[in-house]
Amino acid sequence: FYSRYVYGSSYNQPPFCSPLWVDSTADQSSMFEGVIQGSIAGSACCPAGTYWIGGSSKCTDCAAGKYNDEEGKTVCTDCAKGTYNDEEGSTAETDCTDCAAGKYNDQKGRTACANCIKGKYNDQLGSTAEANCTECVAGKYNDELGGTAEEACTNCAKGKYNGVSGSATEQACTNCVKGKYNDQLGSTAEANCT
């Protein structure tokens, strides 16, 4: 009998335990799945990673993007900004993973992080805002999502220039006019064409 899940008969008081029939022969996994049936009347608390909806006869897994590190809860906690969790039934805040470099998350309770847009990069973990994505400098471009370092920004080729930061395509690099040349990579102005 898993006595640590059994509390008094009142379930309107914390820790908000639901009135369930607890099977003294049930294995631990069935307790966590909320499949709690049997012959011993009692009041069982939902375990960590789950929560109880009033009137329900079973525990519900915390949704992805959330966790619950306590027994007997009626809600799960959102993962913080800058993190994500793509698994249901998480039991600890550490199940919320920092967003990888090249990504950010500006909302709580998310199941994934957003990529920095083309023309930008982000070399930090756990970024909480799109503003953490840095524009490629003039003379460069980045045509891929989720750039993870300044090296994601590619120099404009020789014979071209680009005076705009945050460029997302190679087409942002403009050809020198006929009769002029530029033998430098990553030129930032037409004046570099001579």
Side-chain angles (χ1 to χ4, degrees), residues 5-19:
Y5 294 109
V6 178
Y7 295 82
S9 59
S10 173
Y11 58 92
N12 293 320
Q13 306 275 331
F16 300 106
C17 301
S18 59

Side-chain angles (χ1 to χ4, degrees), residues 44-125:
C45 282
C46 291
T50 70
Y51 67 103
W52 179 62
I53 300 171
S56 176
S57 62
K58 66 178 185 175
C59 303
T60 301
D61 283 341
C62 293
K66 300 176 182 285
Y67 69 93
N68 179 13
D69 56 5
E70 297 180 42
E71 297 175 353
K73 301 294 282 188
T74 58
V75 294
C76 298
T77 303
D78 287 335
C79 289
K81 293 179 181 181
T83 69
Y84 74 100
N85 175 7
D86 59 3
E87 299 287 335
E88 295 182 353
S90 294
T91 60
E93 186 176 9
T94 54
D95 293 329
C96 303
T97 304
D98 283 340
C99 293
K103 299 176 180 283
Y104 69 94
N105 181 6
D106 58 4
Q107 298 179 33
K108 295 179 179 179
R110 302 299 292 191
T111 60
C113 300
N115 285 314
C116 291
I117 62 172
K118 295 177 181 181
K120 297 187 176 188
Y121 69 92
N122 174 11
D123 58 5
Q124 302 296 313
L125 299 175

Side-chain angles (χ1 to χ4, degrees), residues 121-168:
Y121 69 92
N122 174 11
D123 58 5
Q124 302 296 313
L125 299 175
S127 293
T128 59
E130 197 276 336
N132 298 128
C133 301
T134 303
E135 289 185 341
C136 294
V137 297
K140 300 189 176 196
Y141 67 94
N142 175 15
D143 58 3
E144 296 184 359
L145 295 170
T148 60
E150 189 174 3
E151 289 74 25
C153 303
T154 303
N155 284 315
C156 289
K158 293 177 182 180
K160 300 188 177 209
Y161 65 93
N162 174 14
V164 179
S165 62
S167 295

